[in-house]
């Protein structure tokens, strides 16, 4: 198939970017979206032009590295799918495709379609962990009983790959779905309950410091999430935050 | 937003139940309404609640403006291609706009009736109570201005309907109440009140206008 592409080109964080038009021919319907981008970049390199920078890593839909705001939606038109798992058969011959980076003050553009998502790492550093002694005397995991329902729910929350589509989709550029998934995956389990109060306070505080917007319960995040993280996580975090604020040890 | 929002919804219900008395346009009906208006503006407990209400409206509005400004700052560069209708409803993304319409309506509405009741020279009925019913009827029956006020009223009720469509269930989510069993019920109740309350309100001025002559 032949396609027209409108791709965001931006040299670096300090320059202004713009949409540039590209035409690409003979794209296989069986190729993934990123393979289409590879094809474009090979053509650009052959012509001596600067290739388009975009993030990608595992290309198996599990690492959270690929992004791209495709035709007005994070990760494109297919639900519960990362960009790397999106196939060109979802598009028609002659289509015009807009490709933009995640847009958020907290995710500055590094170059073209690649954005700096270190804000997420700093939120994890603020509390997204459990402090366990790993010097040889750790408890056997099975020695700690966990109700099956809790384990399943924690696992569902833990499937968040931290791609940032929630922020990209949110009209407020809020990171609540990501942060709440990371709070939930730990606080639902006995190992994580110990530090639960400080964790939720510190992670929410860091989230605000990074400049993400406020949650107004629009729900676009959960709709666009490639891992279908649910809004229940946000409600759980709101509960925990309220409880921890009222009864914090500090 | 959630606490003040739910409180304002409780006000909407009480205010509606009281003012549905205006559907009785007989002389006795009007006098009954005037007596009710006197009670609502003089009974101490109601007065205290009304001050809480004014503060809640102001807080809800100011907090809303602050949130909208922070949220705009969070995305300095907008998307060139943006299809939000694929993932969310219009009302949920336009609570600020809807709220602004509602605030403008509240200011107009308070100017028309609340101000007149407290400080206007509106005369008394045969019982000696300020004749607020006459002010209401005149406002919505008085020539082309009356028609415009009825139209503005109906449009504002539509804004409240959309505002509640998202706002009611959203408040519970903010409190952390999201449960497989209760959330679907909360949503249905929210959709129900967001249609019934504004519709019942809108009936009042439309009925008064149609009862002209």
């Amino acid at each position: 198939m032949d396609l027209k592409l409108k791709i965001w080109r931006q040299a670096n964080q300090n320059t202004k970017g713009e949409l540039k038009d590209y035409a690409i021919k003979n794209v296989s319907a069986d190729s993934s979206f990123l393979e289409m981008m590879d094809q474009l970049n090979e053509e650009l390199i052959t012509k001596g032009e600067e290739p388009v920078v975009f993030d990608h890593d595992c290309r198996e839909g599990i690492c959270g590295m690929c992004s791209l705001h495709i035709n007005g939606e994070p990760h494109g038109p297919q639900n519960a799918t990362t960009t790397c798992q999106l196939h060109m058969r979802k598009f028609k011959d002659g289509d015009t495709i807009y490709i933009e980076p995640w847009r958020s003050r907290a995710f500055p553009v590094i170059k073209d379609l690649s954005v700096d998502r270190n804000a997420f790492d700093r939120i994890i550093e603020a509390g997204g962990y459990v402090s366990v002694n790993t010097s040889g005397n750790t408890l056997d995991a099975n020695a700690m009983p966990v109700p099956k329902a809790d384990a399943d729910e924690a696992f569902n929350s833990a499937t968040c790959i931290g791609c940032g589509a929630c922020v990209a989709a949110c009209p407020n550029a809020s990171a609540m779905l990501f942060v709440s998934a990371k709070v939930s995956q730990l606080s639902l389990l006995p190992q994580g309950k110990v530090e639960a109060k400080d964790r939720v306070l510190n992670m929410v505080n860091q989230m605000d410091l990074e400049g993400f917007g406020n949650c107004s319960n629009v729900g676009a995040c959960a709709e666009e999430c490639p891992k279908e993280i649910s809004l229940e996580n946000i409600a759980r975090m709101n509960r925990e935050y309220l409880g921890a604020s009222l009864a914090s040890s500090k | 937003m959630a606490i003040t929002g739910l409180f304002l919804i409780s006000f909407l219900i009480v205010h509606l139940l009281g003012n549905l008395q205006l559907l009785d346009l007989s002389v006795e009906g009007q006098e009954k309404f005037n007596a009710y208006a006197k009670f609502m503006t003089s009974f101490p407990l109601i007065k205290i609640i009304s001050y809480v209400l004014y503060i809640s409206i102001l807080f809800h509005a100011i907090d809303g403006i602050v949130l909208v400004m922070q949220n705009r700052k969070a995305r300095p560069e907008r998307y060139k291609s943006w299809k939000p209708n694929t993932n969310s409803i219009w009302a949920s993304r336009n609570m600020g706009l809807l709220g602004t319409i509602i605030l403008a309506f509240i200011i107009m509405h308070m100017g028309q009736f609340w101000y007149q009741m407290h400080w206007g020279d509106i005369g008394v009925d045969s019982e000696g109570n300020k004749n607020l019913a006459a002010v209401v009827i005149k406002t919505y029956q008085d020539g082309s201005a009356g028609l415009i006020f009825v139209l503005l009223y109906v449009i504002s009720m539509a804004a409240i309907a959309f505002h509640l469509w998202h706002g009611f269930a959203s408040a519970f989510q903010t409190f952390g109440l999201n449960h497989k069993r209760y959330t679907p019920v909360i949503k249905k109740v929210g959709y129900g009140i967001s249609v019934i309350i504004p519709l019942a309100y809108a009936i009042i001025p439309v009925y008064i206008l149609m009862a002209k002559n």
Side-chain angles (χ1 to χ4, degrees), chain A residues 103 105 167 170 214 217 239, chain B residues 71 74-75 80 166 170 176:
Chain A
R103 299 235 184 255
R105 182 165 59 132
V167 176
C170 178
N214 305 292
N217 303 324
R239 269 197 313 273
Chain B
N71 293 342
R75 176 164 294 138
K80 306 292 175 212
H166 173 68
S170 172

Side-chain angles (χ1 to χ4, degrees), chain A residues 206-223:
Chain A
Q206 187 62 37
M207 172 180 78
D208 289 339
L209 287 176
E210 296 291 347
F212 292 104
N214 305 292
C215 178
S216 56
N217 303 324
V218 169
C221 51
E223 289 294 320

Side-chain angles (χ1 to χ4, degrees), chain A residues 8 19 69 71-73 98 100-106 167-173 211-214 216-220 223-224 231-232 234-235 238-239 242, chain B residues 66-68 70-84 86-89 92-93 95 166 169-180 187:
Chain A
W8 187 260
L19 282 177
H69 203 261
N71 275 349
E73 285 183 86
Y98 282 80
E100 297 176 76
W102 287 174
R103 299 235 184 255
S104 158
R105 182 165 59 132
V167 176
C170 178
N172 311 334
F212 292 104
N214 305 292
S216 56
N217 303 324
V218 169
E223 289 294 320
E224 296 292 351
L231 295 177
E232 283 173 48
I234 295 183
N238 286 342
R239 269 197 313 273
L242 200 63
Chain B
V66 169
L67 288 175
V68 167
Q70 286 178 345
N71 293 342
R72 280 175 178 243
K73 247 174 66 184
R75 176 164 294 138
E77 178 99 45
R78 315 240 123 213
Y79 290 107
K80 306 292 175 212
S81 168
W82 172 241
K83 285 185 193 149
T86 56
N87 57 37
S88 55
I89 59 166
S92 72
R93 302 188 305 270
M95 294 297 274
H166 173 68
S170 172
F172 290 90
Q173 168 80 2
T174 298
F175 289 139
L177 207 163
N178 186 325
H179 189 281
K180 285 185 175 63
K187 284 195 172 166

Side-chain angles (χ1 to χ4, degrees), chain A residues 110-165:
Chain A
I110 297 170
K111 189 175 167 69
D112 297 336
L113 302 169
S114 170
V115 297
D116 180 351
R117 285 172 280 185
N118 280 322
F120 272 10
D121 295 335
R122 289 189 291 271
I123 292 170
I124 295 294
E125 281 169 28
Y129 51 81
V130 287
S131 306
V132 282
N133 190 343
T134 54
S135 60
N137 52 1
T138 39
L139 271 178
D140 187 277
N142 291 330
M144 217 178 288
V146 180
K148 175 80 165 80
D150 290 358
D152 287 349
E153 192 57 30
F155 185 83
N156 282 341
S157 303
T159 57
C160 166
I161 51 177
C163 66

